[in-house]
Amino acid sequence: MEIKDNTFARQFETTTASGLLAVEYSLQEKKIFLTKIHAPENYDDEDTISLFLSKIMAFAIENKFRVVPILPKIVLFFKKNPEYKELLPPGIRL
């Protein structure tokens, strides 16, 4: 899976068989706030969404960003994948 950082729209994007999958973000002081997931209508492939979020975490690690999950679905991803908890800023617990 290949992700694209669309800085103009402030979202990470990937194309699936069902359409465009995107995660909106806000960037502030080396922190990425993940705010919203845009998926095609009636899209429920949790494995693809999880893989997409893993790629975003790899991007954050590579660029030395901290990740602040705003959306409950992304918070759940962090709970299911404790290996990414070091990406959380100090003081944030899930």
Side-chain angles (χ1 to χ4, degrees):
M1 172 184 289
E2 184 177 327
I3 67 168
K4 177 186 171 195
D5 180 10
N6 184 342
T7 55
F8 181 72
R10 292 188 327 231
Q11 63 186 17
F12 295 104
E13 302 172 339
T14 191
T15 306
T16 65
S18 302
L20 183 70
L21 184 60
V23 174
E24 284 185 19
Y25 68 86
S26 176
L27 186 63
Q28 299 174 4
E29 299 177 9
K30 298 296 266 179
K31 292 181 190 151
I32 297 177
F33 292 78
L34 300 177
T35 57
K36 193 170 186 180
I37 295 178
H38 295 282
E41 194 172 320
N42 298 325
Y43 189 78
D44 61 352
D45 188 357
E46 294 298 323
D47 292 334
T48 303
I49 293 173
S50 182
L51 178 62
F52 184 42
L53 290 173
S54 295
K55 296 285 186 175
I56 293 171
M57 297 307 131
F59 174 84
I61 291 168
E62 180 180 310
N63 292 294
K64 296 182 171 68
F65 288 132
R66 296 291 185 170
V67 178
V68 181
I70 303 295
L71 190 66
K73 193 175 222 177
I74 298 173
V75 170
L76 185 61
F77 170 81
F78 271 92
K79 288 181 179 179
K80 287 182 179 178
N81 299 284
E83 64 269 18
Y84 296 122
K85 287 201 178 191
E86 74 270 0
L87 291 174
L88 296 170
I92 293 186
R93 293 189 177 181
L94 304 178

